[in-house]
Each structure stands twice: as structure tokens, then as C-alpha cells.
Amino acid sequence: PAPPAPQEMSADELQRIVEESLRDAVNFCDLEISPLRAAATKYYQKQPFGDEQDGRSQGVLSDVSDTVDAITPSLMRIFFGSENVVEFEPRRADQVALAEQQTEYVKAQLEKNGFFLVGEEAFKDALINKTGVIKYGWDEKIRVEFQKYSNLSAEQVLALQGEQNVEITNIAMVAPQTPTTPALFDVNVRQKTREGRLKIESLAPEEFLIDRRARTV
């Protein structure tokens, strides 16, 4: 006989599984990983542990900080030792100029984001806090500017009202219309401009949940 057809998972069942996985990941990070991170951070910073006794040694060994600081440069050289962190290779002779342009563009974007320091921070997070994560994405912001225009005609005011992302906040007539001259207005406007840029940053380890059974990303 034919095997039974697999049953479709309901939305409620999927939500339950996801919620349980999230709760378990939070518990795993909070109860098992966080204490290890806190202890490793204290060792790295050579902080006292609070159980010191008068008349006994107050020193904290620097083995952790010495080891991390010794390994980090070697890791950095692997990724930042060459002139270009990322390099595009042309597949055809007519793509050489384009590949060079792409390489320079990516290099400039990485430099704008301080990628060297981001990488160093992520490596140290990995060595000390067991998790190093670099997050990248397109960061959009809205820039708001306030401007004032003086002595505009009615036609110019209408043209200003028709512009996108421009909001007129106040209009004041400064000169009434006469048989020979048009009316004039002072106008205050608020203009919104959407700006975007590539953003690369090191993500705090506590902001990245890990499943206790995970072995790969």
C-alpha cells in the first residue's frame, strides 16, 4: 500500500514550534552561555571576583587576555593582510575595468564603516564571549530640514506645494496684490529627504540567539 500522505502543518502548530524554539534558545543563552561569558570577560579584564580575602593574594592571572591579544592579530592578518579585503575577478577580458571598479567601490564602503575595527571586535567577541557576529544591511534614515522662502508669488507657492516630500508649515502675505504687481508671500516649509547607506557593525553576542543543538549557522 502507498505510504500515507504527509499532513500539512497548521499555522498554529508552526507558531507553537517557533515560540518553543525561541524560549529554549533564550534559556540556553541566559542560563548556560551568559555565565560563561561573564566569567571570561572578568578574566580578560583581570577584574576581581569578589571572593578575595584579606591577607591573601588579590591578583588575577592575565592568561586569558594574553592569549586573546596574541591570537587576534593572526586572525586579523588572514582577512586584512592583503590590500583588498574583497576583490572581484573578471570572467572575460571586457570585464576587467568593471571588476576593478567594483573592488574599489566595496573597499571604499568597508572603509567608511570602519570594517577593520568591526572585524577586530567580532573576533574578540568570538574568543571571549563564544560568539562573534558581523551584521550588515541597508540603513535608511529620513533627514528633515526646515527652510524659509521670501517674496514668493502665488504661482511659486503652488509649485512649492506640488513638490514631493515638501510640507508647507506657514504662509504669510508680505505684499498685497496691486494692479501692477502680484501678491508676495513668505513661506516656511519642512522637507523630508530619505537617505540610505550600507551599514556594517559588530552585533553584541547577547543579541544573537543560539539553539542549544546548533552546529552550523
Side-chain angles (χ1 to χ4, degrees):
Q7 295 182 350
E8 291 188 3
M9 183 181 299
S10 67
D12 290 341
E13 179 68 11
L14 176 60
Q15 181 176 349
R16 184 188 64 79
I17 293 174
V18 171
E19 289 177 349
E20 288 180 356
S21 297
L22 285 173
R23 279 195 298 269
D24 185 63
V26 169
N27 289 334
F28 174 61
C29 291
D30 288 348
L31 302 180
E32 298 187 34
I33 301 298
S34 290
L36 298 176
R37 288 172 174 167
T41 299
K42 282 190 174 183
Y43 276 122
Y44 180 77
Q45 297 176 347
K46 292 175 283 189
Q47 296 179 2
F49 277 71
D51 56 356
E52 292 77 18
Q53 300 178 12
D54 292 337
R56 306 293 294 272
S57 173
Q58 308 293 313
V60 178
L61 296 179
S62 61
D63 295 25
V64 173
S65 59
D66 292 344
T67 302
V68 170
D69 293 343
I71 293 175
T72 301
S74 300
L75 292 174
M76 295 294 290
R77 276 193 295 271
I78 295 173
F79 292 90
F80 298 94
S82 60
E83 181 180 356
N84 298 317
V85 177
V86 176
E87 189 168 357
F88 289 80
E89 294 185 356
R91 294 186 178 181
R92 303 191 307 269
D94 61 346
Q95 295 179 335
V96 173
L98 176 62
E100 292 176 352
Q101 185 180 22
Q102 291 170 330
T103 299
E104 288 300 317
Y105 175 77
V106 172
K107 180 180 178 181
Q109 292 298 317
L110 294 178
E111 288 177 351
K112 278 184 180 180
N113 281 273
F115 190 54
F116 182 88
L117 296 178
V118 171
E120 183 181 31
E121 187 175 355
F123 282 134
K124 284 195 172 182
D125 278 339
L127 293 169
I128 301 170
N129 297 315
K130 302 182 178 295
T131 307
V133 182
I134 294 177
K135 178 182 178 180
Y136 67 93
W138 191 252
D139 183 38
E140 285 196 349
K141 294 182 179 179
I142 296 179
R143 178 165 54 90
V144 179
E145 293 181 313
F146 295 90
Q147 297 181 358
K148 181 178 180 179
Y149 298 93
S150 301
N151 299 322
L152 297 185
S153 66
E155 291 78 9
Q156 290 174 318
V157 173
L158 288 174
L160 196 60
Q161 286 178 325
E163 291 188 12
Q164 289 187 346
N165 303 321
V166 173
E167 177 187 355
I168 294 180
T169 58
N170 185 60
I171 300 177
M173 180 183 292
V174 294
Q177 183 174 353
T178 69
T180 57
T181 59
L184 298 178
F185 303 87
D186 284 350
V187 180
N188 294 336
V189 302
R190 178 169 57 201
Q191 185 172 8
K192 295 180 180 180
T193 305
R194 187 180 297 274
E195 298 177 338
R197 69 177 184 91
L198 177 67
K199 187 173 183 180
I200 306 173
E201 58 186 343
S202 175
L203 191 66
E206 61 269 17
E207 295 181 13
F208 190 81
L209 292 179
I210 304 172
D211 186 282
R212 67 177 70 245
R213 293 169 292 277
R215 293 296 178 266
T216 66
V217 174

